[in-house]
Amino acid sequence: MQASEEVLDPSRELSVSFGYQCNTNHGNASLFNPDFESSEGILIENPNFRTRSGSFSCLSGAALSANATLANTNICNGLIGEEILPGLDSPKSFRRMASSPSLSRLDMLSSSSQSSQTTMGGSLSTENDLVESGRSLWMPRSAPTQIESSSLLNGMDVQMAGGAAGEDRVQAVCSEENGWLFCGIYDGFNGRDAADFLAGTLYENIGFYLHLLEWRSKQHGHGPTKTSSSLSTEIESCNKEKDCHSFPNPTETLFSSEPFRQGVIECLCRALAQAENDFMFMVEQEMEDRPDLVSVGACVLAVLLHGNNLYTLNLGDSRAVLATCSSREDGSLKAIQLTETHTVDNELEVQKVLADHPDDPLAIVGGRVKGKLKLTRAFGVGYLKKSKMNDALMGILRVRNLSSPPYVYTHPFTKSHRVSENDPFVVLGSDGLFDFFSNDEVVELVYSFTQANPSGDPAKHLVEQLVQRAAENAGFSIEELMRIPVGRRRKYHDDVTVIVIMLGNKQRMSTASTSF
């Protein structure tokens, strides 16, 4: 047998690899593209850039496939498969986002929204008007609008990167000018449709609800009421409120207020609920021809960093882990998990499922919900939420005695954290990363790598370390493991997606993801 002339490098197998570094000296955004170093957009200058304290200095993302997946399907009449994701699949750098990629057919919404805000009297339309105008143009119930309408998610140079690795999807969108960053990791299972749908809609939904939050807050002066942070309550009472006044310093005071931060969390939850409702509606329309869609789902991890405010939302078992300096004299870092784990391995989750189904002795069987799924909360997976979706399945695929659905929940865990100078970085990862590393190990790996390689790529390093550990556990060399085809390799590791965000403006890298 002739030996291979080339030693396999796990980094060359990465399905997704991207990096972004802020340039706080001149307000320039460095976009790293390993194949086209002189391509348009490598260095973007913004003459109107306002000097400000950076919320992050750089980030890198990397992902590796283990699952073999089918091509994009025709869900949503092909809108998701044919028009959105090809522009996001497997990029190697950030690029300028001229407009929302998933709303190319919805330009009417932007124009109608703008016209409603600039009426002859100069007054704003009601929030109900904006909601209904959005719903009327997005079948069946979703209400996204262009992100540019939101001053929080706004900027002259908005950059986006994202991609696909097996059934994982990843997104990163940022505006260095306005000091915000959005990251989403969508870990699909039983197919890629749910993760595809999230990649195409969730960010836009969030932008829409943030627009409503800002509109309401500026009208009322105090954001959500002190007695309730419910956005729906505020929307219902918006037209009844007569004693409205404005902030003395609208932008800074608004974004830094505690009620507004609570409102942002509410927006994240509503955006996810909107996506869930829309996805389930589309599954119902398609399930006669494609009954497999009722079992498709995804875990969701969404992170929004704005100034010193770090907001996290999760559904499932992906994680966000913050590195922070401990109080010990040696100044060592400790790991703080900013997310919950929604699986049967979490005893609190098990108790909730059992308590909600007291008359069902088979709510959890063999360490799985209804004997099917380890997750207790997830996006999609309609057959464990609705009887008619379960009935679409045949034979052994159908759940027996689905007596009191839902058995899997869609209520996410959320958290708001005020970033301090003691928080050097945060790591986002699908559960494939944490199959091999604890939170503390992840923090230590990133810290030691960035100390030794300040210009290196910590996300890619984590993936490479995972491949090494997976190979050791299987008794293979790295080369032997990487030769196993995607699909069969799932036996040894899951799809894995990692994003490392260096917080503040002290920790910096000069390059990111420059090898692919």
Side-chain angles (χ1 to χ4, degrees):
M1 180 176 178
Q2 184 177 0
S4 173
E5 296 180 358
E6 182 180 7
V7 176
L8 295 181
D9 179 357
S11 68
R12 297 186 59 187
E13 301 294 325
L14 293 180
S15 297
V16 178
S17 181
F18 57 79
Y20 184 100
Q21 177 181 330
C22 298
N23 187 330
T24 56
N25 293 328
H26 303 288
N28 299 329
S30 299
L31 312 184
F32 298 100
N33 186 322
D35 284 348
F36 306 99
E37 294 183 353
S38 60
S39 63
E40 181 180 358
I42 288 296
L43 191 63
I44 292 179
E45 297 188 7
N46 179 5
N48 298 318
F49 182 82
R50 301 190 308 271
T51 302
R52 61 184 299 160
S53 175
S55 57
F56 70 103
S57 60
C58 57
L59 67 88
S60 67
L64 185 68
S65 298
N67 288 296
T69 61
L70 298 175
N72 289 317
T73 63
N74 288 324
I75 194 168
C76 193
N77 296 321
L79 177 64
I80 301 299
E82 295 179 6
E83 296 187 9
I84 296 175
L85 288 175
L88 298 179
D89 276 353
S90 303
K92 302 172 187 177
S93 73
F94 275 75
R95 67 187 186 281
R96 179 178 293 177
M97 190 174 75
S99 62
S100 173
S102 66
L103 300 179
S104 58
R105 291 185 174 181
L106 301 181
D107 291 338
M108 281 180 59
L109 180 56
S110 176
S111 60
S112 65
S113 175
Q114 292 173 5
S115 63
S116 67
Q117 297 179 40
T118 56
T119 57
M120 291 182 64
S123 62
L124 289 168
S125 63
T126 67
E127 284 181 298
N128 286 324
D129 292 338
L130 293 175
V131 172
E132 292 307 318
S133 67
R135 287 177 177 172
S136 67
L137 291 169
W138 182 260
M139 290 294 293
R141 288 178 292 278
S142 71
T145 188
Q146 287 194 351
I147 299 304
E148 288 78 7
S149 63
S150 168
S151 60
L152 194 156
L153 293 188
N154 194 16
M156 295 185 63
D157 287 309
V158 177
Q159 313 292 337
M160 170 181 273
E167 293 177 331
D168 280 8
R169 299 293 176 272
V170 60
Q171 246 180 332
V173 190
C174 68
S175 169
E176 184 179 344
E177 173 199 9
N178 279 20
W180 61 260
L181 168 69
F182 170 82
C183 295
I185 292 178
Y186 317 119
D187 183 0
F189 55 89
N190 296 333
R192 57 183 287 181
D193 300 83
D196 283 352
F197 189 85
L198 285 163
T201 60
L202 183 60
Y203 169 70
E204 283 75 20
N205 284 357
I206 291 172
F208 175 79
Y209 284 109
L210 286 175
H211 172 63
L212 291 185
L213 174 66
E214 291 176 45
W215 182 91
R216 179 202 58 205
S217 299
K218 291 174 182 177
Q219 289 293 298
H220 293 268
H222 292 294
T225 63
K226 293 183 179 180
T227 57
S228 172
S229 63
S230 170
L231 185 60
S232 58
T233 301
E234 285 292 322
I235 291 176
E236 292 174 0
S237 63
C238 182
N239 292 327
K240 300 178 182 179
E241 183 67 50
K242 296 182 180 179
D243 184 20
C244 295
H245 53 281
S246 61
F247 280 105
N249 296 304
T251 301
E252 296 302 326
T253 306
L254 175 63
F255 293 160
S256 63
S257 68
E258 180 59 30
F260 187 83
R261 288 195 292 269
Q262 295 174 0
V264 172
I265 290 293
E266 180 77 10
C267 288
L268 295 177
C269 293
R270 287 179 64 83
L272 179 62
Q274 187 76 65
E276 167 84 2
N277 289 339
D278 291 348
F279 181 73
M280 296 291 270
F281 177 88
M282 294 177 184
V283 169
E284 288 187 27
Q285 307 308 304
E286 300 278 348
M287 66 183 185
E288 184 174 345
D289 296 327
R290 282 200 58 202
D292 62 295
L293 285 175
V294 303
S295 64
V296 172
C299 299
V300 183
L301 174 59
V303 172
L304 177 62
L305 175 63
H306 182 248
N308 291 328
N309 297 309
L310 180 65
Y311 306 96
T312 57
L313 172 148
N314 87 287
L315 196 66
D317 53 6
S318 297
R319 296 186 199 175
V321 178
L322 176 73
T324 188
C325 293
S326 67
S327 58
R328 295 192 293 267
E329 293 183 359
D330 60 3
S332 60
L333 293 178
K334 65 177 180 179
I336 298 178
Q337 186 170 319
L338 301 176
T339 51
E340 282 187 345
T341 301
H342 301 144
T343 70
V344 292
D345 294 330
N346 183 338
E347 184 60 30
L348 293 177
E349 291 292 293
V350 171
Q351 293 304 317
K352 174 176 173 54
V353 173
L354 296 177
D356 288 349
H357 305 281
D359 299 325
D360 187 351
L362 301 177
I364 295 180
V365 179
R368 294 177 179 268
V369 177
K370 296 302 291 182
K372 297 291 185 178
L373 194 66
K374 290 193 67 175
L375 295 168
T376 55
R377 305 191 208 183
F379 180 90
V381 65
Y383 77 118
L384 292 172
K385 296 177 179 178
K386 296 184 178 183
S387 295
K388 62 181 177 181
M389 290 192 178
N390 182 51
D391 292 340
L393 295 173
M394 303 295 291
I396 63 173
L397 298 177
R398 182 181 299 174
V399 177
R400 306 298 178 187
N401 302 315
L402 194 75
S403 57
S404 52
Y407 286 83
V408 173
Y409 307 105
T410 317
H411 180 70
F413 175 79
T414 58
K415 189 176 184 63
S416 174
H417 173 75
R418 292 283 288 178
V419 175
S420 75
E421 60 181 10
N422 293 323
D423 303 331
F425 60 86
V426 61
V427 179
L428 318 179
S430 58
D431 69 307
L433 175 66
F434 301 98
D435 287 340
F436 291 92
F437 300 116
S438 67
N439 294 346
D440 289 331
E441 286 177 311
V442 166
V443 167
E444 175 57 31
L445 283 169
V446 172
Y447 176 73
S448 59
F449 177 79
T450 53
Q451 291 298 302
N453 304 274
S455 62
D457 183 344
K460 185 159 70 70
H461 176 70
L462 282 176
V463 172
E464 291 169 347
Q465 292 299 302
L466 181 145
V467 170
Q468 180 176 332
R469 181 164 292 189
E472 292 173 352
N473 290 351
F476 296 151
S477 67
I478 293 177
E479 292 76 13
E480 289 171 330
L481 178 63
M482 298 309 294
R483 286 193 181 98
I484 298 174
V486 169
R488 288 173 52 197
R489 201 192 306 154
R490 178 61 184 88
K491 179 180 179 181
Y492 305 103
H493 69 84
D494 197 358
D495 298 327
V496 56
T497 301
V498 180
I499 297 178
V500 179
I501 307 169
M502 309 305 289
L503 299 170
N505 52 20
K506 294 181 179 179
Q507 294 78 25
R508 302 178 57 80
M509 296 181 296
S510 62
T511 60
S513 297
T514 52
S515 59
F516 183 82

